Amino acid sequence: MPQAAKGAVAPNPLLAQYRLLFPLICCGVLFLATYGTCKLLVFSSSLHTWQFWQGAWAAQLQQGPLLAAILLAACAAMVYRQLSKQVYLLDFSCYRPAEEYQVTWKRFMAGSRECGFFTKDSLDFQERISQRNGLGNCTSFPPSLHEEPPNCNMVTAREEAEIVLFGVVKEVLEKTGLRAKDIDILVVNCSLFNPTPSLSAMIVNHFKMRSNVLTYNLAGMGCSAGVIAVGLAQRLLAGEPNSRALVVSTENITLNWYSGNERSMLIPNTLFRMGGAGVLLTNRPSDRWRAKYSLQHIVRVHLGRDDSAYRCVYQHPDSTGKIGVELSRDLVKVAGKALTHNLTKLGPKVLPWSEKLLYAGNWVARKVAPGRWQEYVPDFKQAFDHFCLHAGGRGVIEGLGSQLGLSQRQLEPSASTLYWYGNTSSSSLWYALSYIESRQTVRKGDRVWQVGFGSGFKCNSAVWTALRNVDSKHPAWNHLAADTTTEQDSKLRVENNTAAENKSTADRSAVPSTLRNGQNGVSKDSEDVSDKENSICNGHKDLNQDGTASVKDREGDVFAAGESYLAEAKSCLNGQVKHEDSGSGEIKAHSQTLNGKQAVAFL
């Protein structure tokens, strides 16, 4: 039973805890009332009446045990049916990539340059996005993208799927102490990679599951498919009493790494990373005592009838035939609209009466006096204790946090998920929940809200209630020091994000140039860039007197002379960088001094 939301009138704790025994209590009270009435009539009647009622009561007592047994059986069936309708979360696991799959930001940019697929403009664009997208310095890619050039094909895509899927399923089975043969329902969701046989068949084959296991494979449903998979499992469990369901959520990076130069399709390269999650659900009443959470609500919103919403996340080939996922400029607006629809449906189910009355009063006031009252936004912090937001990017998390008025601590699980693991698509909600369990506190009765966005366009959310105090230590967060507080983790993450934003400015200032009268001049006695590692990955160029560009590595200076760098050096001496392709003299980038600081504007 959900704990009363803060600020709302708390229900009777006795009825809240024993609500399933209420039918038994009512039947017992009815039985005692009947018996007491009969006794009262017996003692208030004459001797003749007494003998009549005594005989009638004796006849009823002869059938009493049978009637009591029938009554108890009916009540037990009612209680069992009520328990079977509940869906419980036994446990879940999140994939922790091995160290061999980890890639630093510098290595990512170096690999992007070395593969030869991208133009200089595309590389610069990916670098700028990577500097402010909220990802940390070290995230994980599948083995195929570690090769030079990347080896993306069906074989390597299957390899990635096996690494992630088998890992999370094995971990969640070990956590719950169950065998693969104990699974009755299997639901797998992966949006962009769907081979034949399916991913669910891959799991059945590897773990040798029963032949009568019910398997389902969800495809093309985007980053919110994890909640959809849980909703599907809930509906399936409703028709399969006394069963267990395994939900596996992942996304495949191998075949969906974009090698073209369309900017709207390059953004996923900088955000999506390797990951997955396995969730074990059950409706067995005997499993309730060890379950972590009870599923309260699944709310789904689909805006697919609107063309702009339908195409805001769209997979198609670019002008050169290379397939990628395009993110349109309407994405933020569509996501906000979808979230509003979802909260409108979810609010009446979870908000306390105080918030409902405030919203109703505000609605009436706005109808009576239009323009005088602003729309009241309910405080969902009174409905939920923990928030698992879709880690789609830094802007997504900060935008949701601002709209909902969340604190730094409430945003921390999703922001930390993005920082350490990137956007793992539908499984990112489970990484956030695992962070809450590992680094924060979940108490009995706490309510957890998961919300995700996906192509189509969809906004789906799930509400869970903790059945006990949860203090699990997930391997996905074992790399964080045990004695480090969450506030220190958050401070470190914010500092790293701030430092990332300053990468570009720091890189440009490392070039040996001096500002004179608003123009860039080449100084003969300028100092070399001291950070050799940065100069490898960021491609820093030291302009010498002869216009030759040098790129530093850890061993020494490797000189690469070329006409393009010579032209760039000459144009820098004139105070501007001209567009080489058009030859029109259009300024592509310029720098000037504002109050003693260098400001760079990209046109």
Side-chain angles (χ1 to χ4, degrees):
M1 181 69 183
Q3 187 180 26
K6 300 176 183 178
V9 179
N12 189 318
L14 183 62
L15 293 180
Q17 186 173 2
Y18 300 106
R19 72 188 191 283
L20 298 177
L21 299 179
F22 189 70
L24 288 176
I25 297 174
C26 292
C27 292
V29 172
L30 180 61
F31 179 82
L32 293 176
T34 305
Y35 179 79
T37 303
C38 291
K39 295 293 290 184
L40 181 62
L41 291 174
V42 167
F43 285 108
S44 63
S45 303
S46 61
L47 180 62
H48 179 73
T49 307
W50 159 258
Q51 293 175 349
F52 170 79
W53 283 105
Q54 188 179 29
W57 183 252
Q60 292 295 327
L61 288 178
Q62 293 177 358
Q63 301 178 357
L66 178 60
L67 294 176
I70 294 175
L71 183 62
L72 289 174
C75 293
M78 292 173 59
V79 172
Y80 185 83
R81 184 178 180 182
Q82 182 68 20
L83 283 171
S84 298
K85 290 182 179 179
Q86 293 290 324
V87 174
Y88 308 107
L89 190 154
L90 284 181
D91 213 328
F92 66 98
S93 63
C94 296
Y95 177 69
R96 170 66 177 169
E99 291 186 4
E100 60 192 80
Y101 302 139
Q102 295 180 356
V103 175
T104 63
W105 176 80
K106 298 175 182 178
R107 180 68 189 91
F108 166 75
M109 289 306 305
S112 297
R113 289 187 177 90
E114 293 167 1
C115 69
F117 295 142
F118 305 109
T119 64
K120 185 179 182 301
D121 287 343
S122 296
L123 290 170
D124 292 342
F125 176 74
Q126 291 184 78
E127 183 175 356
R128 291 197 301 271
I129 294 296
S130 298
Q131 289 167 354
R132 58 175 184 267
N133 59 9
L135 274 69
N137 181 57
C138 190
T139 51
S140 299
F141 279 103
S144 59
L145 296 182
H146 288 257
E147 300 183 24
E148 296 182 3
N151 182 23
C152 300
N153 53 53
M154 178 64 73
V155 175
T156 55
R158 283 184 180 274
E159 180 185 1
E160 178 192 353
E162 291 173 354
I163 292 172
V164 176
L165 297 180
F166 297 166
V168 295
V169 172
K170 180 181 178 181
E171 182 180 338
V172 75
L173 291 177
E174 290 176 350
K175 281 185 174 182
T176 56
L178 298 176
R179 303 171 302 169
K181 295 181 179 180
D182 297 326
I183 303 301
D184 303 290
I185 300 169
L186 174 63
V187 181
V188 180
N189 70 272
C190 182
S191 184
L192 296 174
F193 177 62
N194 297 281
T196 300
S198 65
L199 298 179
S200 58
M202 181 187 297
I203 295 176
V204 171
N205 174 262
H206 181 79
F207 291 96
K208 309 304 178 186
M209 293 183 172
R210 302 196 320 260
S211 60
N212 63 343
V213 63
L214 303 179
T215 62
Y216 296 85
N217 213 84
L218 301 181
M221 306 200 77
C223 298
S224 65
V227 177
I228 298 175
V230 171
L232 175 60
Q234 178 191 34
R235 291 176 178 269
L236 293 172
L237 287 171
E240 298 288 336
N242 209 36
S243 299
R244 297 187 179 101
L246 176 62
V247 175
V248 185
S249 300
T250 187
E251 190 54 84
N252 193 279
I253 308 299
T254 299
L255 285 183
N256 298 286
W257 186 71
Y258 177 63
S259 58
N261 291 284
E262 294 287 343
R263 287 194 173 188
S264 58
M265 295 183 176
L266 284 171
I267 297 176
N269 284 8
T270 66
L271 285 173
F272 286 90
R273 296 295 185 267
M274 188 180 184
V279 185
L280 222 164
L281 306 175
T282 180
N283 63 355
R284 292 190 175 193
S286 59
D287 287 336
R288 186 182 188 278
W289 67 272
R290 62 175 183 149
K292 286 184 174 181
Y293 304 94
S294 174
L295 180 60
Q296 300 299 311
H297 307 289
I298 293 284
V299 176
R300 296 175 55 183
V301 170
H302 201 306
L303 303 182
R305 67 177 183 179
D306 182 21
D307 291 340
S308 61
Y310 173 73
R311 297 188 64 92
C312 67
V313 181
Y314 199 77
Q315 185 183 29
H316 65 93
D318 63 10
S319 57
T320 63
K322 296 180 179 179
I323 296 177
V325 178
E326 179 184 5
L327 305 181
S328 75
R329 296 182 178 180
D330 296 331
L331 179 59
V332 175
K333 180 177 68 175
V334 171
K337 182 179 179 181
L339 178 64
T340 301
H341 281 272
N342 192 282
L343 293 179
T344 301
K345 295 177 62 177
L346 182 63
K349 302 175 184 292
V350 299
L351 286 172
W353 278 105
S354 59
E355 289 297 313
K356 294 178 183 178
L357 292 175
L358 285 174
Y359 183 81
N362 176 263
W363 183 83
V364 173
R366 286 187 290 111
K367 292 296 182 181
V368 174
R372 294 187 58 185
W373 299 90
Q374 294 183 351
E375 183 176 2
Y376 177 72
V377 179
D379 184 6
F380 280 86
K381 297 192 297 296
Q382 297 192 35
F384 306 117
D385 301 283
H386 305 282
F387 297 82
C388 300
L389 310 178
H390 173 49
R394 183 179 179 184
V396 174
I397 296 174
E398 291 181 348
L400 288 173
S402 176
Q403 185 173 353
L404 298 172
L406 303 183
S407 65
Q408 178 66 47
R409 181 178 176 84
Q410 290 168 324
L411 288 176
E412 186 177 313
S414 300
S416 297
T417 296
L418 180 66
Y419 181 82
W420 292 105
Y421 289 97
N423 184 349
T424 60
S425 190
S426 56
S427 63
S428 65
L429 301 179
W430 297 107
Y431 280 94
L433 183 56
S434 67
Y435 184 93
I436 294 173
E437 291 186 356
S438 300
R439 309 292 296 171
Q440 299 179 353
T441 303
V442 179
R443 301 189 181 277
K444 182 178 180 180
D446 283 359
R447 287 202 283 187
V448 180
W449 183 42
Q450 295 177 314
V451 57
F453 301 91
S455 58
F457 189 85
K458 298 178 288 292
C459 177
N460 304 319
S461 60
V463 179
W464 305 85
T465 298
L467 299 176
R468 56 183 173 87
N469 294 340
V470 181
D471 186 21
S472 301
K473 302 301 180 184
H474 291 264
W477 302 104
N478 284 347
H479 61 284
L480 299 182
D483 57 347
T484 304
T485 63
T486 55
E487 288 78 7
Q488 290 173 332
D489 293 340
S490 177
K491 182 180 179 181
L492 176 63
R493 176 179 54 77
V494 172
E495 288 176 349
N496 283 328
N497 284 340
T498 303
E501 289 179 346
N502 296 330
K503 284 179 184 176
S504 181
T505 303
D507 294 345
R508 284 189 294 271
S509 63
V511 179
S513 59
T514 57
L515 295 177
R516 297 173 180 173
N517 300 324
Q519 296 182 346
N520 286 336
V522 178
S523 175
K524 297 181 181 180
D525 56 350
S526 299
E527 296 182 357
D528 293 337
V529 180
S530 60
D531 191 347
K532 296 180 180 180
E533 189 170 279
N534 283 342
S535 54
I536 298 174
C537 298
N538 296 334
H540 290 165
K541 291 171 290 186
D542 298 324
L543 301 180
N544 300 324
Q545 295 179 8
D546 57 355
T548 305
S550 62
V551 181
K552 287 189 176 183
D553 59 11
R554 297 182 181 181
E555 303 297 331
D557 296 335
V558 179
F559 296 95
E563 293 296 329
S564 60
Y565 293 137
L566 182 59
E568 183 179 351
K570 291 179 179 179
S571 58
C572 284
L573 294 174
N574 294 329
Q576 61 183 9
V577 180
K578 297 186 177 181
H579 199 288
E580 299 291 340
D581 296 334
S582 63
S584 61
E586 179 184 358
I587 297 178
K588 183 181 178 183
H590 69 278
S591 50
Q592 57 184 358
T593 303
L594 297 176
N595 298 326
K597 297 182 179 180
Q598 183 179 8
V600 179
F602 291 92
L603 303 182

